[in-house]
Amino acid sequence: MARRPAFFISDRTGLTSESMGEALLEQFRDVQFKRATYPFVDTPEKARAMVQIIEKTAQQTALRPLVFSSIVDEEIRSIIKSSPGLHLSFFDAFLGQLEDELGIQARHTAGGRHGIGDTERYDARMEAVNFSLNHDDGISDKDLQKADVILIGVSRSGKTPTCLYLALQYGIRAANYPLTPDDLDNPGLPPMLRNHLNKLYGLTIQPDRLAEIRQERRPDSHYASLATCKREVAEAQAMFRRFNIPFTNTTQKSVEELAVSIMQACKLKRRF
Amino acid sequence: MARRPAFFISDRTGLTSESMGEALLEQFRDVQFKRATYPFVDTPEKARAMVQIIEKTAQQTALRPLVFSSIVDEEIRSIIKSSPGLHLSFFDAFLGQLEDELGIQARHTAGGRHGIGDTERYDARMEAVNFSLNHDDGISDKDLQKADVILIGVSRSGKTPTCLYLALQYGIRAANYPLTPDDLDNPGLPPMLRNHLNKLYGLTIQPDRLAEIRQERRPDSHYASLATCKREVAEAQAMFRRFNIPFTNTTQKSVEELAVSIMQACKLKRRF
């Protein structure tokens, strides 16, 4: 059966129309969709080219396309809406209501916010990215002092991508402390972490999934064996409980969800 | 004057309601907003606590709050909507239309998609993140062969955060090749890059902004001087033109915009 076409169209990056569209499509798991994202549709010419693409797709599939759009300019928006499709237009749905409520007209032009020229935002972001890159392996006490949060967990429990996401998305300086087998054998907290108990956040993971991830990295090693993974995870969780360190299981969570959970649990505020 | 309260409320991470809300608020630059994001509002109890927060804020500021929400469950949604505010509810606006169009009922439960348990997505993402981390300094020809795209530019032109964002957001393996003064003095393409011309994408930047960024890193150095920055940028741009390498100026662009521009220009497809 032909898949239902779903277009995500935007005058900017398309990230908003994509995340909005995906959240909606996710509500219909039995339907197969054929997705296509078109960013930077910011002139009437590009909009008319877009209409032709939508028309062609509608003819080929004989299914009415779903068109998720986030376009500020009214002329461009109305061109897009002349195409055959169910139009779910983000600004149509909300902008008028907001204008009425605020009692002023919206700008109706796509903005150039948050460029690298937006130096405050860029600097916070870069500082955080550099922080997490510099301390991915081997970390000093000075680094830990500067950190907003310190993620701890066994090797391959998801610390690195979460640190990077916290840096890129929120400008948070997230340090990454891997719990080694030595750390885990010891009943105390690793010495370096003792002065930073209030910044610690633990990541744990299902042992079978951990074994799978480690297997990719070092096939058939002691490190990747299910027994090792089970023991390390149990010891790490015991440590988290012993020292009242908040922690979460990463197995069923996306990096986005982990980052937001950590922001919330550690009461962190975005730096831009 | 009191700032207008703006709540971003979600049963999940809040990323959709935040990006939707920010795109709308950005249309009203003359209004001052006081933003607050509440993720994981996924039970009636949490929704009722949320209502109290909104009520209290409305009383304190004597301004009607704006409530941007992305909540699938109808009971939770209706509790939130009992609070005083202009309610811009994402699922209210679109879900009914989609159900009518598709002729089936939505699930109406918040989904657990994209967990680290979603192994395909997680693996693509981690492979890309590890790729960009391993090759941030010093890169081999084997790395360049595996790369989906190779970002080139002078030191501090924005390559690193863009590579990381491409990896995290799209699972794209983006290599990072810094153009050194030696590379720039030479009229040819750096030898390592010669076999990979079709994967190259250039980043450039305004010299004064570059000098500012470098100044942070190595104050009052030759490296950070405006003259050095002007010369390096001019030479890099000449190289991009000479070899027909697509390139963009990062000065006014966010990391998100850069990543999407590169995806589009290099015809890259997300890997998850």
Side-chain angles (χ1 to χ4, degrees), chain A residues 4 12 20 27 64 90 101 107-109 114 116-117 122 125 209 250-251 253-254 256-257, chain B residues 4 12 20 27 64 90 101 107-109 114 116-117 122 125 209 250-251 253-254 256-257:
Chain A
R4 171 78 73 150
R12 303 284 302 280
M20 158 180 127
Q27 289 296 308
R64 193 175 177 218
F90 176 61
E101 174 68 27
R107 297 191 302 119
H108 289 280
T109 52
H114 301 331
I116 284 184
Y122 180 77
R125 192 172 217 176
R209 176 65 183 133
T250 65
T251 316
K253 292 208 177 82
S254 65
E256 289 84 350
E257 286 170 328
Chain B
R4 171 79 72 152
R12 302 284 302 281
M20 158 180 127
Q27 288 297 309
R64 193 173 176 220
F90 175 62
E101 174 68 27
R107 297 191 304 118
H108 289 281
T109 53
H114 302 333
I116 285 185
Y122 179 77
R125 190 172 217 174
R209 176 64 185 135
T250 66
T251 316
K253 292 209 177 82
S254 67
E256 289 83 351
E257 286 169 329

Side-chain angles (χ1 to χ4, degrees), chain A residues 227-247:
Chain A
T228 301
C229 292
K230 276 187 177 165
R231 195 183 59 247
E232 286 193 13
V233 166
E235 287 169 348
Q237 288 183 189
M239 182 191 285
F240 301 155
R241 293 207 179 87
R242 205 177 310 129
F243 295 98
N244 272 318
I245 297 164
F247 70 99

Side-chain angles (χ1 to χ4, degrees), chain B residues 96-149:
Chain B
Q97 290 183 67
L98 259 180
E99 286 181 326
D100 291 347
E101 174 68 27
L102 297 172
I104 50 174
Q105 279 273 308
R107 297 191 304 118
H108 289 281
T109 53
R113 65 183 167 143
H114 302 333
I116 285 185
D118 178 346
T119 59
E120 201 180 325
R121 182 179 158 99
Y122 179 77
D123 290 345
R125 190 172 217 174
M126 276 311 296
E127 200 180 311
V129 167
N130 287 330
F131 181 86
S132 68
L133 291 179
N134 292 338
H135 314 118
D136 194 46
D137 288 318
I139 194 153
S140 71
D141 186 62
K142 203 173 146 200
D143 298 332
L144 295 179
Q145 279 177 36
K146 274 171 76 179
D148 296 316
V149 62

Side-chain angles (χ1 to χ4, degrees), chain B residues 14 55 80 86 116 126 151 200-201 210 217 234 248 253:
Chain B
E55 282 172 351
I80 295 291
L86 174 68
I116 285 185
M126 276 311 296
L151 300 191
L200 302 183
Y201 191 92
L210 181 63
R217 204 167 165 89
T248 194
K253 292 209 177 82

Side-chain angles (χ1 to χ4, degrees), chain A residues 192-266:
Chain A
M192 283 195 71
L193 301 180
R194 286 180 196 160
N195 288 330
H196 306 288
L197 191 52
N198 60 337
K199 287 187 195 174
L200 302 182
Y201 191 93
L203 297 187
T204 187
I205 182 169
Q206 280 171 21
D208 53 342
R209 176 65 183 133
L210 181 62
E212 206 178 291
I213 295 171
R214 289 183 172 187
Q215 178 69 19
E216 286 281 312
R217 204 164 165 90
R218 289 197 225 148
D220 303 322
S221 61
H222 175 70
Y223 165 82
S225 76
L226 186 58
T228 301
C229 292
K230 276 187 177 165
R231 195 183 59 247
E232 286 193 13
V233 166
E235 287 169 348
Q237 288 183 189
M239 182 191 285
F240 301 155
R241 293 207 179 87
R242 205 177 310 129
F243 295 98
N244 272 318
I245 297 164
F247 70 99
T248 195
N249 188 318
T250 65
T251 316
Q252 301 295 336
K253 292 208 177 82
S254 65
V255 172
E256 289 84 350
E257 286 170 328
L258 289 172
V260 173
S261 300
I262 292 164
M263 293 289 289
Q264 197 176 37
C266 300

Side-chain angles (χ1 to χ4, degrees), chain A residues 15 20 48 52 68 73 78 95 108 114 118 145 148 153 159 165 176 199 202 206 213 227 241 251 254 270-271:
Chain A
L15 293 170
M20 158 180 127
R48 280 188 280 270
Q52 293 192 346
F68 300 92
D73 183 89
S78 72
L95 200 58
H108 289 280
H114 301 331
D118 178 345
Q145 279 177 35
D148 295 316
K159 298 181 299 300
Y165 191 85
N176 171 348
K199 287 187 195 174
Q206 280 171 21
I213 295 171
R241 293 207 179 87
T251 316
S254 65
R270 60 163 69 234
R271 285 186 180 267

